[in-house]
Amino acid sequence: MQNANRLLDKQTKILEAAGLLDQAGKDIVGTYGKYVEAKMIDLDSGAFIEGNTDMFDERRDSRDATKSSKPKNDIAGINRRANDAVVYLVKDENGKVNTIVLPIIGSGLWDLMSGFIGLAPDLNTVRSVIYSELKETPGLGAEVLNPRWKALWPGKKMFDEQNNVAIKIVKGGAKAGDVNGVDALSGATLTSNGVESTLHFWLGEEGYGPFITQFRTQLRDGGM
């Protein structure tokens, strides 16, 4: 029962990250099964691999030295990173991928914060950033759960024109037209910094970078 509840909660967050939660209503499992394809990847190569996506747990694997490694530049503060990951390909009614949901985890003020980022097929344009598990201070760091803050993300760009990770959390507020800037959380500098560092880690070469490169190539060649 606990595993089933955890799976349902994860599916709910993935649908939210994909913009399908309102459409799903109470039929989370059915909507997830219709539109979402979970795929295991090897993070170092970015290639798809076989594996049980429902039972995969990044933090569990990260504690196993045979299934994980220590990042060279651990800006996310995770200590160890699992060798594998699960990505979620969200398809439209015609079976074409229109959103890719990537799990993320990194340090907040008090503990690790986990969540999901939903990206358009260019793997640059943000659909959503959804946090699901955190122990941040209510009214401060916990504002990552506030719908007003989540509403700032759609349309932002994770990368600059040179394909460098460029998303930034801006203290005092992002300037109008800044496609790479999102307003910081008021009074929660460490949490805001944690969000930025987490995104830079997971979108970089020690995170989903190799997968992003491969996916973009396949998309360009008509393979997705």
Coordinates of all heavy atoms in Angstrom, one line a residue, residues 18 28 31-32 41 51 62 86-87 109 125 142 144 154 163 176 188 200 210:
A18 N 3.7 18.2 -16.3 CA 3.4 18.1 -17.7 C 2.2 19.0 -18.1 O 1.8 19.1 -19.3 CB 3.1 16.7 -18.1
I28 N -6.0 9.8 -12.2 CA -4.5 10.0 -12.3 C -3.9 8.8 -13.0 O -3.1 9.0 -14.0 CB -3.9 10.2 -10.9 CG1 -4.4 11.4 -10.2 CG2 -2.4 10.3 -11.0 CD1 -4.2 12.7 -10.9
T31 N -4.8 8.6 -16.8 CA -4.2 9.7 -17.6 C -2.7 9.5 -17.8 O -2.2 9.7 -18.8 CB -4.5 11.1 -17.0 OG1 -5.9 11.3 -16.8 CG2 -4.0 12.2 -17.8
Y32 N -2.1 9.1 -16.7 CA -0.7 8.9 -16.7 C -0.4 7.7 -17.7 O 0.5 7.9 -18.5 CB -0.2 8.5 -15.3 CG 1.3 8.2 -15.2 CD1 2.2 9.2 -14.9 CD2 1.8 6.9 -15.5 CE1 3.6 8.9 -14.9 CE2 3.1 6.6 -15.4 CZ 4.0 7.6 -15.1 OH 5.4 7.3 -15.1
I41 N 17.4 5.9 -18.1 CA 18.6 6.3 -18.9 C 19.9 6.1 -18.1 O 19.8 6.1 -16.8 CB 18.6 7.8 -19.3 CG1 18.5 8.7 -18.1 CG2 17.4 8.0 -20.2 CD1 18.8 10.2 -18.5
G51 N 15.1 -1.2 -17.4 CA 15.0 -1.1 -16.0 C 13.6 -0.9 -15.5 O 12.7 -0.5 -16.3
S62 N 21.8 6.0 -4.8 CA 22.9 6.9 -4.5 C 23.7 6.4 -3.3 O 24.8 6.8 -3.1 CB 22.5 8.3 -4.4 OG 21.8 8.5 -3.1
V86 N 15.4 8.2 -14.3 CA 14.2 8.0 -15.1 C 13.7 9.3 -15.7 O 13.7 10.3 -14.9 CB 13.1 7.3 -14.3 CG1 11.8 7.2 -15.1 CG2 13.5 6.0 -13.7
V87 N 13.5 9.3 -17.0 CA 12.9 10.5 -17.6 C 11.5 10.2 -18.1 O 11.2 9.0 -18.3 CB 13.8 11.0 -18.7 CG1 15.1 11.4 -18.2 CG2 13.9 10.0 -19.9
L109 N 17.5 24.7 2.5 CA 18.0 25.3 3.7 C 18.3 24.2 4.7 O 19.3 24.1 5.4 CB 17.1 26.3 4.3 CG 17.4 26.9 5.7 CD1 18.8 27.6 5.6 CD2 16.4 27.9 6.1
T125 N 12.9 25.3 -23.2 CA 11.8 26.1 -22.8 C 11.1 25.4 -21.7 O 10.7 24.3 -21.8 CB 10.9 26.3 -24.0 OG1 11.6 26.9 -25.1 CG2 9.7 27.3 -23.6
A142 N 9.6 27.4 1.8 CA 8.4 26.6 1.4 C 7.6 27.3 0.3 O 6.7 26.7 -0.2 CB 7.5 26.2 2.6
V144 N 8.4 27.7 -2.5 CA 8.6 27.0 -3.8 C 7.3 26.3 -4.2 O 7.1 25.9 -5.3 CB 9.7 26.0 -3.8 CG1 11.1 26.8 -3.6 CG2 9.6 25.0 -2.7
P154 N 6.8 29.1 -16.5 CA 6.5 28.7 -17.9 C 7.0 29.8 -18.9 O 6.9 31.0 -18.7 CB 5.0 28.7 -17.9 CG 4.6 28.3 -16.5 CD 5.6 29.0 -15.7
N163 N 24.2 27.6 -25.5 CA 23.9 26.3 -24.9 C 24.5 26.1 -23.5 O 24.7 24.9 -23.1 CB 24.2 25.1 -25.8 CG 23.3 23.9 -25.5 OD1 22.2 24.0 -25.1 ND2 23.9 22.7 -25.6
A176 N 12.1 42.6 -16.6 CA 11.2 42.3 -17.7 C 11.9 41.9 -19.0 O 12.9 42.5 -19.4 CB 10.3 43.5 -18.0
A188 N 14.3 34.1 1.5 CA 14.8 32.7 1.5 C 16.0 32.6 0.5 O 15.9 31.8 -0.4 CB 13.6 31.8 1.1
H200 N 21.3 23.9 -12.2 CA 22.5 23.9 -13.0 C 23.2 22.6 -12.9 O 23.8 22.2 -13.9 CB 23.5 25.0 -12.4 CG 23.2 26.4 -13.0 ND1 24.1 27.0 -13.8 CD2 22.1 27.2 -12.8 CE1 23.5 28.2 -14.1 NE2 22.4 28.3 -13.5
P210 N 24.2 14.8 -21.1 CA 24.4 13.8 -22.2 C 23.0 13.4 -22.8 O 22.9 13.2 -24.0 CB 25.1 12.6 -21.5 CG 25.9 13.3 -20.4 CD 24.9 14.3 -19.9

